[in-house]
Amino acid sequence: MISNPVKTIAFNLNGQHVQEDVQSRLNLADFLRQQCHLTGTHVGCEHGVCGACTVLVEGRAVRACLMLAVQVDQKTVTTVEGITPERGLSVLQESFWSEHGLQCGFCTPGVLISLTQLLKDHASPSPEQIRDVLSGHLCRCTGYQNMVKACMVAAKRMRDELASAQAPVLHEVKDGH
Ligand code: FES
Ligand code: FES
């Protein structure tokens, strides 16, 4: 019989400290869904191909079906629930809505997670950079083109919001205040 000992892990999940007893052979995607009840992380292929299970670990996008839950001990994990504001939607989520970047939505949480990382790394991503990220995600029903459009729209809105938030500060510096 294969042994599956239980280990206690402590980690940061969407900004909250979490401590859980976990079977050492349980993968991170099943752990998040079944034990943490965060069902926004989807499971498609279960072998690292479709990207539906993508979450951020230490700020980087990973396939949760290819990681064991015990591997996130003492780390930071962000799921699609964690990138969603308490009220309403994030800029990226709103852009997916306005630009029709989804249909059934099965692939969407993983796509949003990967693009969130891209937008953190690149304020003005090129369509090629966005396509490169999307190449790690399988979508069975919508066109990828609208996802590219949605990400471009979100990036512009985020740049504009940042510029207007910084404008008063720049004026003060210029005026010598
Ligand atoms: S379920 Fe993890 S990549 Fe498909
Ligand atoms: S929107 Fe249906 S799988 Fe992508």
Side-chain angles (χ1 to χ4, degrees), residues 126-142:
S126 66
E128 289 69 32
Q129 282 174 312
I130 299 169
R131 287 197 182 97
D132 191 43
V133 168
L134 293 178
S135 69
H137 292 269
L138 295 182
C139 175
R140 297 298 299 270
C141 53
T142 200

Side-chain angles (χ1 to χ4, degrees), residues 2 11 13 19 27 29 60 68 77 79 85 88 91 94 100 102 106 110 132-133 143:
I2 301 168
F11 66 108
L13 177 59
Q19 186 167 318
N27 75 44
R60 309 310 293 172
L68 295 172
V77 178
T79 66
V91 171
E94 274 180 5
H100 309 289
L102 67 145
F106 190 83
D132 191 43
V133 168

